[in-house]
Amino acid sequence: SVIATALFASNLFFWSESRYFAPDADQLLLLHTWSLAVEEQYYLVFPLLFASLMRVGRRFAIAVIAPLAVLSFALACRLMETEPEQAFYLAHARVWELLLGALLALDSVPVPRSRWLCESLAAAGLAAILAATLGYDTTTAFPGAAAALPCLGAAAIVHAGTGGPSLVSRLLATRTLVGVGLISYSLYLWHWPVFVLQKYYTVGAPSLLQLGIAIVLAFLLAWVSCRYIERPFRARARVPRRPLLILTGGGLATLVGAGLAMHLGQGLPGRFSPEVLALASTPHHD
């Protein structure tokens, strides 16, 4: 998983590993990187397609991108019936969610001109997101059609903002929510490993205190990561391009090498005591 993550292919790796005897999802330390891989694959392909389409014109780009989004959504719904793992992990079944944003950026939907329309659109979007957040559980067939509710809700809120401020936009502009938004990428990177490692430590379900500590730790790591890694890397004036490429390239190579060493070393069993290794090698029966 470390190798796949470094090569922007973790969605392909976890899809290939999604079999009956694979570890439970909440035990996979880098499982959350599948979505980053989908995004990176999108960012590598879509700009080239977009640049080619825009040579003809904005309307032509919309005329091509909109059917692609519909096709991807239909494929996702179909795969949920036949190959749900593909629908979840693979980019072709997820790209419609990203293309919604592209269509908004291309002004493919008329701007809401009236205040009541902005308010209604934003409120409906927020209601859709809350309905998915509170109504979906482990029995929900997701993504597929179920993903339309939160995705269209987010699109509605974004689009409502093009027509002017609303109660929802004012809520989202509060300092607390803006602060969470600013560290949200780093928070996404850190939250899952923190909770997985906590599960390793507690074995059973964590207590409310342990869960609270994990949440605070995830936010603290996210702030540190955003402040000292993410922001400096985005400030091009402070980081020259060549050292940046050398640093990132070297980091990726190191990750691939470390992952390869752990894989070829079969998980480095020497880290366990002889007693644990003997116990692990004892045959057992259900």
Side-chain angles (χ1 to χ4, degrees):
S1 62
V2 170
I3 297 172
T5 299
L7 299 178
F8 310 132
S10 57
N11 62 325
L12 301 176
F13 171 76
F14 289 119
W15 166 64
S16 68
E17 292 291 307
S18 57
R19 57 187 186 276
Y20 183 80
F21 291 104
D24 291 337
D26 57 2
Q27 297 179 20
L28 300 173
L29 195 65
L30 297 177
L31 179 66
H32 65 313
T33 61
W34 73 266
S35 66
L36 304 181
V38 170
E39 291 180 31
E40 291 296 342
Q41 291 157 16
Y42 173 79
Y43 296 148
L44 289 173
V45 174
F46 181 74
L48 299 176
L49 172 64
F50 181 71
S52 300
L53 296 176
M54 289 298 289
R55 287 181 178 272
V56 180
R58 183 180 65 88
R59 292 185 178 181
F60 180 73
I62 294 173
V64 173
I65 294 173
L68 287 178
V70 173
L71 180 62
S72 174
F73 176 71
L75 179 62
C77 294
R78 177 58 179 166
L79 286 174
M80 284 300 297
E81 300 176 0
T82 58
E83 298 286 344
E85 293 83 6
Q86 284 193 33
F88 188 90
Y89 286 112
L90 300 190
H92 58 270
R94 288 287 196 161
V95 72
W96 68 270
E97 304 172 32
L98 297 165
L99 291 179
L100 284 178
L103 290 172
L104 288 180
L106 286 168
D107 296 327
S108 58
V109 183
V111 175
R113 298 298 181 183
S114 63
R115 173 67 181 275
W116 75 267
L117 186 56
C118 290
E119 294 285 0
S120 300
L121 193 59
L126 181 60
I129 294 174
L130 291 177
T133 302
L134 301 176
Y136 290 179
D137 56 25
T138 55
T139 65
T140 303
F142 193 91
L149 194 60
C151 289
L152 291 176
I157 292 176
V158 171
H159 187 59
T162 63
S166 64
L167 292 176
V168 173
S169 67
R170 292 189 181 93
L171 172 65
L172 296 177
T174 57
R175 177 172 295 184
T176 300
L177 293 183
V178 170
V180 174
L182 289 174
I183 66 169
S184 61
Y185 182 74
S186 291
L187 184 60
Y188 183 80
L189 293 179
W190 282 110
H191 84 286
W192 187 256
V194 169
F195 290 129
V196 170
L197 291 175
Q198 182 188 58
K199 185 175 180 63
Y200 284 163
Y201 177 77
T202 60
V203 181
S207 65
L208 289 178
L209 176 60
Q210 291 171 331
L211 188 59
I213 293 174
I215 292 173
V216 171
L217 179 60
F219 270 88
L220 179 61
L221 289 171
W223 181 84
V224 172
S225 181
C226 181
R227 173 66 178 82
Y228 294 103
I229 299 177
E230 187 177 338
R231 289 181 184 174
F233 268 67
R234 289 208 308 262
R236 294 185 178 182
R238 300 181 183 179
V239 184
R241 179 170 296 181
R242 173 173 282 187
L244 177 62
L245 291 176
I246 293 175
L247 180 63
T248 54
L252 289 175
T254 300
L255 286 175
V256 171
L260 188 61
M262 287 185 285
H263 179 69
L264 295 178
Q266 299 181 344
L268 307 180
R271 58 198 170 96
F272 295 113
S273 66
E275 292 79 10
V276 171
L277 292 175
L279 183 62
S281 63
T282 303
H284 64 281
H285 304 281
D286 294 334

